[in-house]
Amino acid sequence: MKHMEVCSGKTIDWGKKLRRALVLDNLRVQSLQLKIKAMSSSTAESISETQIPLTSGVKLQTLNYIVTVDLGGKNMTLIVDTGSDLTWVQCQPCKSCYNQQGPLYDPSVSSSYKTVFCNSSTCQDLVAATGNSGQCGGNNGVEKTTCDYVVSYGDGSYTRGDLGSESIQLGDTKVENLVFGCGRNNKGLFGGASGLMGLGRSSVSLIYQTMKDFDGVFSYCLPSLEDGASGSLSFGNDSSAYKNSTSFSYTPLVQNPQLHSFYILNLTGASIGGVELETSSFGRGILIDSGTVITRLPPSIYKAVKTEFLKQFSGFPSAPGYSILDTCFNLTSYEDVSIPTIKMIFEGNAELEVDVTGVFYFAKPDASLVCLALASLSYENEVGIIGNYQQKNQRVIYDTKEEKIGIAGENCSI
């Protein structure tokens, strides 16, 4: 598993690119908040285990993480997203596709590809995952038989196409008849990736579809952004894949029928440099999401974090805010600095201690603009989100059957 900004070879204006990435990250968060608001007002088998490399997408010009899988005999590079459900790739023939590295998937040359029809139960499951029923109908006298879908991601990105099923190779395990989206009209900031892997909790997600194979368990370790750094995405409870340096602590998933497709934890506390924060806003749900970059906190919690952090990280020249980040410094005159630890505490005393690489966001590589890599939500009643930047070098286990999340420190980049 790699970070997605690590694969183009082009000369990149990093200042412009990083600022744009944060703007788009903010649009994704706003989209998630709108989706949350809309949703709120509305026998034993042998279990497999498998593991695939997961890396930064830096070279593919995205701040998300990517994996490469075999889909119908062709390698496809997918963004890993626990905040959405449908897995999709760009397909031939394509009406409008963004530029991706490598050829588009072509269902016409695959012997294992099958069309999902609009009158099937699978098509009706689209309502939960995409809000689009994929109903049958006609257009200009031509009867439609395919199951069409539309998924929008809120940053202006979207994918439109039709559902199909195909074999997918995940590490050493082959899964037959995975239902996925064949994107014929796609736009957005997916970098050079072939598409997206949906790891949410609805019936069309890869996790639900592979329940009999992997028992609803998967985990990842997100590596840092350096060239060559590689973590892993594991399916099944394969503890041999874990190289955790601390013991696992577990917290139950918050049960919210209206937000059933998200992974929600109960944030009960936080500490900065060992100092526990005091605010009445703890004890509320927060999403954990691999597709959001920067962690967002409710304003009252963010204010407490910022105040204590500035108290401990004092004496350094301040710098102007950068996009959504408002706590910034100029550290060009310093070779070494002592960075306060940031720890999030969840129900059951589970802990996530943010890796040192996830505390600061280097907006400028010369350290003249270095910002605390946390941001405030706009409103107190919005739902917080733990982004991938603060999940680096952690082994995060998602057990959808036992409905719990496990967290332990792990050097993913070994």
Side-chain angles (χ1 to χ4, degrees), residues 13-22 63 322 361-363:
D13 181 345
W14 280 107
K16 183 177 179 182
K17 186 151 195 62
L18 290 174
R19 185 179 292 273
R20 179 168 168 75
L22 291 182
L63 289 177
Y322 182 79
Y361 189 91
F362 281 74

Side-chain angles (χ1 to χ4, degrees), residues 62 70 83 110 116 204 245 263 316 331 339 342 390 393 399 414:
T62 173
D70 179 312
S110 171
V116 172
V204 298
S245 54
Y263 298 97
F316 299 99
L331 301 179
I339 303 175
I342 298 177
Q390 282 68 46
N393 289 322
D399 189 332
I414 292 177

Side-chain angles (χ1 to χ4, degrees), residues 217-221 237 242 244 246-253 263-265 288 346-353 391 393-400 402-410:
V217 179
F218 72 98
S219 73
Y220 55 64
C221 194
N237 201 5
Y242 311 154
N244 49 300
T246 63
S247 299
F248 280 101
S249 56
Y250 288 87
T251 185
L253 287 167
Y263 298 97
I264 306 175
L265 314 180
I288 183 165
F346 308 99
E347 183 179 340
N349 288 321
E351 295 181 348
L352 190 162
E353 183 171 327
Q391 296 180 55
N393 289 322
Q394 310 283 336
R395 173 64 60 177
V396 184
I397 302 175
Y398 294 73
D399 189 332
T400 63
E402 296 292 327
E403 298 190 322
K404 64 182 181 179
I405 297 282
I407 303 169
E410 180 176 325

Side-chain angles (χ1 to χ4, degrees), residues 273-347:
V275 177
E276 291 195 15
L277 304 181
E278 294 186 11
T279 169
S280 59
S281 297
F282 288 124
R284 59 191 293 173
I286 187 168
L287 304 185
I288 183 165
D289 180 26
S290 68
T292 297
V293 181
I294 298 294
T295 292
R296 304 306 204 285
L297 298 171
S300 58
I301 296 178
Y302 177 73
K303 182 180 178 183
V305 169
K306 177 180 175 178
T307 300
E308 183 59 36
F309 190 88
L310 287 174
K311 191 184 297 183
Q312 296 186 31
F313 195 75
S314 60
F316 299 99
S318 62
Y322 182 79
S323 185
I324 57 172
L325 308 177
D326 65 6
T327 307
C328 302
F329 308 90
N330 182 344
L331 301 179
T332 50
S333 301
Y334 302 87
E335 286 190 15
D336 296 294
V337 295
S338 179
I339 303 175
T341 57
I342 298 177
K343 188 179 291 186
M344 293 180 239
I345 304 162
F346 308 99
E347 183 179 340

Side-chain angles (χ1 to χ4, degrees), residues 96-389:
S96 177
C97 282
Y98 59 85
N99 291 329
Q100 74 172 55
Q101 284 200 355
L104 273 60
Y105 170 81
D106 187 348
S108 68
V109 299
S110 171
S111 59
S112 48
Y113 176 82
K114 300 183 187 73
T115 298
V116 172
F117 293 102
C118 57
N119 58 0
S120 65
S121 59
T122 301
C123 191
Q124 305 318 309
D125 287 340
L126 267 183
V127 178
T130 69
N132 175 38
S133 65
Q135 293 176 346
C136 296
N139 187 21
N140 297 326
V142 179
E143 186 178 354
K144 186 188 75 161
T145 58
T146 58
C147 181
D148 295 342
Y149 76 88
V150 179
V151 181
S152 299
Y153 296 96
D155 58 1
S157 302
Y158 61 80
T159 174
R160 298 173 185 157
D162 46 87
L163 289 192
S165 71
E166 179 61 281
S167 64
I168 185 171
Q169 187 80 30
L170 301 170
D172 54 9
T173 301
K174 188 173 187 177
V175 177
E176 303 287 354
N177 301 316
L178 178 84
V179 175
F180 73 107
C182 222
R184 315 284 185 175
N185 187 342
N186 317 294
K187 179 185 176 183
L189 300 155
F190 305 109
S194 310
L196 182 143
M197 177 183 283
L199 298 177
R201 301 177 70 187
S202 89
S203 59
V204 298
S205 79
L206 187 145
I207 301 308
Y208 187 92
Q209 291 190 62
T210 58
M211 184 69 73
K212 65 180 176 59
D213 300 288
F214 305 120
D215 211 26
V217 179
F218 72 98
S219 73
Y220 55 64
C221 194
L222 305 180
S224 57
L225 310 187
E226 288 85 11
D227 277 353
S230 181
S232 64
L233 173 63
S234 298
F235 294 96
N237 201 5
D238 183 10
S239 57
S240 66
Y242 311 154
K243 301 182 179 68
N244 49 300
S245 54
T246 63
S247 299
F248 280 101
S249 56
Y250 288 87
T251 185
L253 287 167
V254 173
Q255 300 309 305
N256 188 327
Q258 289 142 334
L259 304 178
H260 63 278
S261 65
F262 292 115
Y263 298 97
I264 306 175
L265 314 180
N266 182 10
L267 181 66
T268 58
S271 67
I272 305 295
V275 177
E276 291 195 15
L277 304 181
E278 294 186 11
T279 169
S280 59
S281 297
F282 288 124
R284 59 191 293 173
I286 187 168
L287 304 185
I288 183 165
D289 180 26
S290 68
T292 297
V293 181
I294 298 294
T295 292
R296 304 306 204 285
L297 298 171
S300 58
I301 296 178
Y302 177 73
K303 182 180 178 183
V305 169
K306 177 180 175 178
T307 300
E308 183 59 36
F309 190 88
L310 287 174
K311 191 184 297 183
Q312 296 186 31
F313 195 75
S314 60
F316 299 99
S318 62
Y322 182 79
S323 185
I324 57 172
L325 308 177
D326 65 6
T327 307
C328 302
F329 308 90
N330 182 344
L331 301 179
T332 50
S333 301
Y334 302 87
E335 286 190 15
D336 296 294
V337 295
S338 179
I339 303 175
T341 57
I342 298 177
K343 188 179 291 186
M344 293 180 239
I345 304 162
F346 308 99
E347 183 179 340
N349 288 321
E351 295 181 348
L352 190 162
E353 183 171 327
V354 177
D355 186 72
V356 66
T357 63
V359 175
F360 280 137
Y361 189 91
F362 281 74
K364 292 187 178 178
D366 64 357
S368 62
L369 186 56
V370 178
C371 304
L372 178 64
L374 301 169
S376 175
L377 291 165
S378 299
Y379 303 102
E380 198 64 38
N381 64 353
E382 291 181 313
V383 178
I385 304 172
I386 304 170
N388 64 43
Y389 204 81

